[in-house]
Amino acid sequence: MCGIAGRILHAPGPVGRDLVELMDAQVHRGADSTGFALYGPPRDRGFVVRAVGMDRAALGRDLDDFLAILRDHGSDLLEDPTWDGADTRHVSVRMVVGDIRDLARWSRDADGISERFEIQSVGRSLEVVKDVGTSAEVADKHGVRDFRGTHGLGHARLATESSVSPTASHPFWARPFPDVAIVHNGQITDYYLWRNRLERRGYRFMTENDSELIAVWISDRMRHGTSKPDALGQSIREIDGVFTYLIADERSIGFAKDRWAIKPLVAMGEAPELAVATEEQAVRRIYLEEGDVINYDGPAMTRTWPASLPDAPIVEAAA
Amino acid sequence: MSATDRANRIELQAADRPIREVNDEIRAALADGREVLVRDARSRHNLGVGLPSASRVRFEGSVGYYCGGLNDGAMIEIERNAGWGVGEAMARGEIVVGGYAGMAAGASMRGGLLHIRGDAGPRCGVAMKGGDIIVEGRIGYLSGFMAHAGRLIALGGAGEACADSLWGGEVWLAGPAESLGVDARIEEPGAEEVESVEALLASRGLGDSGRDWRKVVSEQRLWHFESRDAKAWLMI
């Protein structure tokens, strides 16, 4: 059991605060780890990179290596990196970098820096913030409530099938596709088969978590010309398991739900502003008054909601 | 509630208060012989679970999961929608949902009446072992799944896989079913049975002699499962 949520605002605003609230309301669904995929106003050039170092004492060395590889790929830091000042051994880092010649090649090299340093998201607007602990704990540590943006995802994890760690938490970035992230409630039973197929085509997975598959699976379909609604529909027929997942990019949030109708999802709000969550009582933290609630309770459902961003830039990635 | 009732009624607020505190106050008021109105239920979970007989509680707005679960005879009214598992494992009493009831409404209930004025989500009446569920709208995917006894009555028909793996009990449909589940079959209901169902509906203000009933029952092949027949049960 996990809890997921999504939020779309009609204009840039306190999306971090709302997502923390949505996840706090679902803390009973999983408190092993909590994470957020936050979409700020998109940059015209360059990317925000979010990473985790598993050894704070080695951070200086890891950042030096990161920068050397970044420069090898025709880019550089645009701002000084920042990181949390907590007393945990692991450390979350935020960097703003210039455009990169080939994101897929760079990400392969950068992922090889060290076992203890992992990139968690890359995007014009996406920032993945995730850590062990509850929504309130992760929000306090990383200042999530202060994040202003247009839309985002949240996840509360009850770990069932792989380890509890900052890196094995949701959301998962669709490595190496910029700005794509997912949160998932459920289990994918044939994830290792799909991962093998995708790995043979050059994709790289960083954890043993079944959910890491989904974002890459959808992005790979879309890279080969499938529309997002079609790719979501295909995932219901081709991926085995019980699942309701949300997938976001710089332009939209979508969801897909399996054929067995096990994992709930509700939506509330008026387009272009809305909140979706596993539980209705969570969206009622945002919409205190009684109103129309859409229950996506049936089997085999998909839907995509546009974010309020008419002219977000599109970034291509090749695996 | 009438004017005289109102004098004997206590009003509580659920909102963002701890649910245990709200439930304790409901129980204390009922023990005092008073009726309870819970305002601003805000889709919160586990409201009014295990309430005693001859008590009366109304929830204003929508409630979350398991409202009225383990009901032991209370009359419970929910103004709007109910989340997952409303009336789960109810023994006796009555629950009325004014709007939509989420997944697994009346799951494992053993007695009493669950009356849903809107539609019901998937697995309505899953594993029910007695009592009656009336849904004025449509029941969702896999409704009646593995029920053992009782009646699930849907005036607006049913979604896919209706009465899948039904062991016993009956699913009554006054509208079309998208499909029947495995080991379910449609039986012509007897006149007395129809009379009994219509009498129940009439007692709820839903009398209508013109309905075209279909009664779905167990085909009972799963009662004696043999592995060589396994293919018949595979849904994928």
Side-chain angles (χ1 to χ4, degrees):
Chain A
M1 192 166 86
C2 296
I4 60 177
R7 176 78 171 133
I8 295 177
L9 298 177
H10 71 276
V15 73
R17 184 200 65 192
D18 287 359
L19 284 165
V20 170
E21 199 65 31
L22 285 161
M23 297 325 300
D24 183 62
Q26 301 185 100
V27 66
H28 53 276
R29 298 189 71 92
D32 289 328
S33 62
T34 309
F36 304 91
L38 303 159
Y39 289 83
R43 307 176 60 83
D44 293 331
R45 54 182 283 269
F47 298 101
V48 183
V49 176
R50 285 281 190 162
V52 161
M54 292 311 285
D55 184 358
R56 193 176 289 267
L59 180 63
R61 223 176 326 146
D62 291 339
L63 287 181
D64 286 348
D65 291 344
F66 178 87
L67 185 56
I69 290 169
L70 187 66
R71 286 176 175 153
D72 279 351
H73 287 265
S75 178
D76 207 337
L77 291 172
L78 298 183
E79 296 173 13
D80 285 337
T82 55
W83 55 86
D84 71 80
D87 57 3
T88 49
R89 184 149 192 251
H90 65 274
V91 54
S92 299
V93 189
R94 179 181 190 271
M95 290 167 281
V96 181
V97 306
D99 282 337
I100 295 166
R101 271 198 302 268
D102 183 329
L103 266 180
R105 278 174 190 278
W106 163 76
S107 125
R108 246 187 323 261
D109 287 352
D111 285 336
I113 290 174
S114 149
E115 287 286 312
R116 63 172 183 258
F117 193 79
E118 188 180 302
I119 293 166
Q120 300 203 309
S121 71
V122 175
R124 297 278 196 227
S125 57
L126 168 65
E127 300 191 36
V128 167
V129 178
K130 55 187 184 180
D131 210 329
V132 293
T134 65
S135 178
E137 287 163 0
V138 174
D140 287 345
K141 182 176 172 187
H142 298 287
V144 179
R145 291 186 190 88
D146 299 329
F147 189 96
R148 295 183 68 81
T150 48
H151 59 294
L153 306 177
H155 188 273
R157 179 166 185 238
L158 179 80
T160 51
E161 295 183 24
S162 64
S163 62
V164 175
S165 81
T167 51
S169 312
H170 297 225
F172 285 104
W173 168 47
R175 181 177 255 95
F177 298 92
D179 289 303
V180 182
I182 65 107
V183 289
H184 166 219
N185 176 22
Q187 293 85 32
I188 307 296
T189 46
D190 61 350
Y191 70 96
Y192 50 94
L193 293 173
W194 280 113
R195 275 171 63 142
N196 284 345
R197 289 174 197 143
L198 290 167
E199 278 167 351
R200 285 200 292 277
R201 300 200 331 237
Y203 294 103
R204 181 160 180 183
F205 295 91
M206 305 303 284
T207 72
E208 293 307 312
N209 191 298
D210 55 340
S211 310
E212 194 183 354
L213 166 79
I214 300 168
V216 177
W217 196 98
I218 296 288
S219 301
D220 178 65
R221 290 289 164 109
M222 290 173 64
R223 183 175 154 241
H224 288 95
T226 308
S227 70
K228 181 182 273 183
D230 285 351
L232 293 174
Q234 288 171 7
S235 77
I236 292 172
R237 292 187 294 277
E238 296 181 44
I239 295 178
D240 189 60
V242 288
F243 53 83
T244 295
Y245 65 82
L246 292 165
I247 182 164
D249 58 26
E250 72 282 16
R251 301 173 158 266
S252 67
I253 294 177
F255 89 90
K257 180 173 181 173
D258 67 64
R259 291 168 291 171
W260 315 114
I262 303 281
K263 303 294 184 183
L265 192 74
V266 305
M268 205 170 172
E270 294 282 335
E273 186 159 307
L274 96 162
V276 296
T278 303
E279 296 182 6
E280 183 173 316
Q281 56 92 16
V283 298
R284 294 293 303 279
R285 288 270 191 109
I286 307 290
Y287 298 102
L288 300 182
E289 302 298 321
E290 285 284 330
D292 290 337
V293 175
I294 302 174
N295 285 274
Y296 293 99
D297 276 348
M301 302 182 102
T302 67
R303 173 88 198 255
T304 305
W305 299 280
S308 308
L309 269 181
D311 299 313
I314 298 170
V315 185
E316 300 293 341
Chain B
M1 295 179 189
S2 70
T4 45
D5 286 334
R6 225 165 260 137
N8 192 35
R9 187 175 77 180
I10 191 164
E11 292 187 7
L12 307 172
Q13 189 95 359
D16 55 358
R17 297 173 59 211
I19 284 299
R20 185 161 296 183
E21 204 176 286
V22 177
N23 277 335
D24 283 349
E25 287 176 18
I26 294 174
R27 288 180 157 277
L30 296 177
D32 256 5
R34 306 179 73 176
E35 297 187 5
V36 179
L37 173 68
V38 180
R39 289 189 183 279
D40 196 6
R42 215 176 282 186
S43 309
R44 300 287 304 280
H45 297 172
N46 308 317
L47 283 163
V49 170
L51 297 183
S53 62
S55 60
R56 192 176 277 271
V57 180
R58 177 175 159 86
F59 294 96
E60 229 175 54
S62 298
V63 297
Y65 294 179
Y66 307 122
C67 184
L70 298 165
N71 184 14
D72 201 21
M75 311 288 270
I76 298 170
E77 201 182 335
I78 297 153
E79 185 195 19
R80 297 191 75 218
N81 304 330
W84 192 318
V86 62
E88 183 176 61
M90 165 159 64
R92 59 189 70 82
E94 180 186 308
I95 301 175
V96 178
V97 180
Y100 172 83
M103 286 193 270
S108 301
M109 65 183 260
R110 307 177 69 87
L113 173 67
L114 173 59
H115 180 171
I116 297 159
R117 294 202 191 277
D119 292 334
R123 301 182 184 81
C124 181
V126 56
M128 70 185 284
K129 296 174 180 69
D132 290 304
I133 301 178
I134 297 172
V135 180
E136 294 188 33
R138 184 172 186 267
I139 48 176
Y141 168 70
L142 269 182
S143 281
F145 181 53
M146 292 189 83
H148 288 216
R151 287 182 300 194
L152 169 55
I153 302 161
L155 305 186
E160 284 173 63
C162 178
D164 190 275
S165 308
L166 197 68
W167 291 100
E170 299 160 359
V171 181
W172 286 71
L173 300 174
E178 219 165 298
S179 65
L180 286 186
V182 297
D183 208 29
R185 71 183 167 86
I186 292 175
E187 190 179 82
E188 201 53 46
E192 270 177 36
E193 291 176 307
V194 173
E195 210 172 292
S196 157
V197 167
E198 285 293 355
L200 174 65
L201 290 169
S203 76
R204 310 297 304 177
L206 297 169
D208 174 1
S209 57
R211 290 191 182 100
D212 180 19
W213 287 110
R214 276 168 308 159
K215 182 179 126 191
V216 189
V217 296
S218 173
E219 202 163 25
Q220 303 183 4
R221 287 188 299 150
L222 268 174
W223 287 20
H224 312 284
F225 178 77
E226 299 210 27
S227 56
R228 64 169 178 269
D229 297 331
K231 268 200 179 138
W233 318 121
L234 289 177
M235 295 169 64
I236 48 174

